[in-house]
Amino acid sequence: MDWKIFATIFTAVFIAELGDKSQLATMLFAADKEASELTVFLAVSAALVFTSLLGVIAGSTLSEYINERYLNYLAGIGFIIIGVFTLYKA
């Protein structure tokens, strides 16, 4: 395993996930007195692992048909569109 790549990916995803909607939803579920913290943690962890698995499968499948360079362009354009939309709505 390449630990430099691991650290880069971990840091990028960790920073991207801080304060997002899924973290806020997790805090709300954890605040519910009827749900144990362990249940919330396990459910949220499983959901994040599954969505990450879908991302890995989609990315590796797309990379078989589309050049990685074009995928990077597409991702960048997607983020720009989301940013412009977010600024427009603000």
Side-chain angles (χ1 to χ4, degrees):
M1 179 185 303
D2 187 334
W3 289 102
K4 184 177 179 182
I5 292 174
F6 179 92
T8 301
I9 294 168
F10 176 87
T11 303
V13 172
F14 182 80
I15 291 170
E17 290 295 323
L18 284 177
D20 75 344
K21 290 180 281 194
S22 61
Q23 188 179 32
L24 296 175
T26 300
M27 290 187 324
L28 291 174
F29 287 125
D32 184 356
K33 299 296 182 199
E34 294 181 20
S36 75
E37 287 93 359
L38 180 60
T39 301
V40 172
F41 174 76
L42 292 175
V44 168
S45 298
L48 291 174
V49 166
F50 185 69
T51 58
S52 297
L53 174 65
L54 292 176
V56 169
I57 291 170
S60 61
T61 302
L62 284 173
S63 70
E64 291 179 18
Y65 301 102
I66 302 172
N67 186 315
E68 181 182 353
R69 186 169 160 196
Y70 297 126
L71 286 174
N72 285 328
Y73 290 147
L74 183 62
I77 290 168
F79 279 114
I80 290 170
I81 290 170
I82 291 169
V84 169
F85 181 74
T86 302
L87 288 173
Y88 176 74
K89 289 289 189 181

